[in-house]
């Protein structure tokens, strides 16, 4: 819009210049041709001089001020945490020896008993007489059953048999039972001795059951 206003002002100025030039040409011609002065005055009075004032260009609007930038406060890190460590308490040591423990007299252990003889239990007499042909079970004798029974006896301090157990079976219950029955009844022993004192002992042997021919 500013350019259009300038074009209009130029056209008006050109028209005014042309009119002025025509007026001067007419006046010159009138002087040359001897026209009457009154005619010139009349024409000059009828002419209207247009004083074209040059319009001043509109003032440009100032741009709006830029918004002020908000200045953010700087980030300030918190001060480091300072931990104060209290020094450990001072421990004063006193070089005082502890009181001596009371001496309690201890009794001497009793002397060990004098070592005596040690021996295992031994049978009295012949072990072959503990079971004989007359002790053969009648049913086993009729059926002609034979076998060997192993046994183990426990002997008391008086030399008598306390208990008897079969360690090897003959394969026949009646022969095994007859073995322990007759050994407990007839067997006698010299008891075992430890440090000169009689103690319980044990003895093992076997009885062979065989039908006489």
């Amino acid at each position: 819009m500013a350019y259009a206003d300038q074009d209009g002002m130029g056209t008006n100025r050109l028209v005014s210049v042309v009119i002025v030039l025509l007026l001067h040409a007419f006046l010159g011609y009138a002087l040359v041709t001897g026209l009457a002065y009154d005619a010139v005055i009349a024409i000059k009075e009828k002419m209207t001089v247009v004083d074209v004032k040059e319009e001043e260009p509109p003032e440009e609007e100032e741009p709006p001020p830029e918004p002020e930038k908000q200045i953010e406060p700087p980030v300030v890190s918190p001060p480091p945490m300072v931990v104060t460590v209290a020094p450990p308490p001072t421990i004063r040591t006193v070089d005082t020896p502890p009181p001596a423990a009371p001496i309690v007299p201890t009794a001497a252990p009793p002397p060990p008993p004098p070592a005596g003889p040690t021996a295992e239990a031994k049978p009295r007499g012949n072990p072959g007489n503990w079971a004989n042909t007359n002790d053969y079970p009648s049913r086993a004798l009729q059926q002609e059953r034979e076998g060997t029974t192993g046994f183990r006896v426990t002997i008391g301090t008086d030399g008598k048999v306390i208990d008897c157990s079969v360690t090897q079976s003959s394969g026949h219950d009646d022969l095994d039972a007859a073995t322990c029955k007759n050994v407990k009844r007839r067997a006698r022993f010299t008891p075992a001795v430890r440090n000169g004192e009689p103690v319980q002992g044990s003895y093992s042997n076997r009885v062979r059951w065989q039908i006489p021919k």
Side-chain angles (χ1 to χ4, degrees):
M1 183 173 180
Y3 288 109
D5 293 340
Q6 291 179 2
D7 292 342
M9 292 169 56
T11 303
N12 294 333
R13 183 179 294 176
L14 182 60
V15 171
S16 300
V17 171
V18 170
I19 293 173
V20 171
L21 291 176
L22 290 176
L23 178 59
H24 284 81
F26 180 75
L27 291 175
Y29 178 78
L31 292 174
V32 172
T33 55
L35 292 177
Y37 178 74
D38 295 335
V40 174
I41 295 300
I43 293 173
K44 186 176 180 180
E45 290 178 358
K46 292 181 179 181
M47 290 182 62
T48 303
V49 178
V50 178
D51 187 6
V52 179
K53 293 183 180 181
E54 184 177 357
E55 296 181 0
E56 296 182 358
E59 296 181 358
E60 295 182 358
E61 296 181 358
E62 296 182 358
E66 296 183 358
E68 295 183 359
K69 295 184 179 179
Q70 297 181 356
I71 301 175
E72 297 182 357
V75 179
V76 180
S77 59
M81 182 180 296
V82 179
V83 180
T84 59
V85 180
T90 304
I91 300 175
R92 296 182 179 179
T93 59
V94 180
D95 298 334
T96 302
I103 300 174
V104 179
T106 56
T118 299
E120 300 294 333
K122 295 180 181 180
R124 295 176 184 176
N126 185 7
N129 296 328
W130 296 344
N132 52 46
T133 307
N134 297 329
D135 300 324
Y136 217 109
S138 58
R139 184 180 294 276
L141 187 59
Q142 292 174 2
Q143 296 176 358
E144 298 182 351
R145 291 188 277 106
E146 297 179 344
T148 300
T149 302
F151 66 91
R152 179 186 179 88
V153 293
T154 302
I155 304 160
T157 57
D158 57 356
K160 294 181 180 181
V161 176
I162 299 176
D163 189 22
C164 175
S165 60
V166 176
T167 57
Q168 179 183 353
S169 177
S170 63
H172 306 285
D173 294 339
D174 50 358
L175 296 179
D176 296 340
T179 298
C180 279
K181 176 182 177 181
N182 289 283
V183 169
K184 290 174 69 175
R185 185 176 64 175
R186 297 191 179 105
R188 293 293 181 270
F189 294 86
T190 300
V193 177
R194 295 288 184 276
N195 297 326
E197 299 292 333
V199 294
Q200 287 187 359
S202 62
Y203 175 81
S204 298
N205 206 337
R206 293 182 298 173
V207 173
R208 183 178 181 184
W209 297 95
Q210 185 177 9
I211 299 173
K213 302 297 181 184

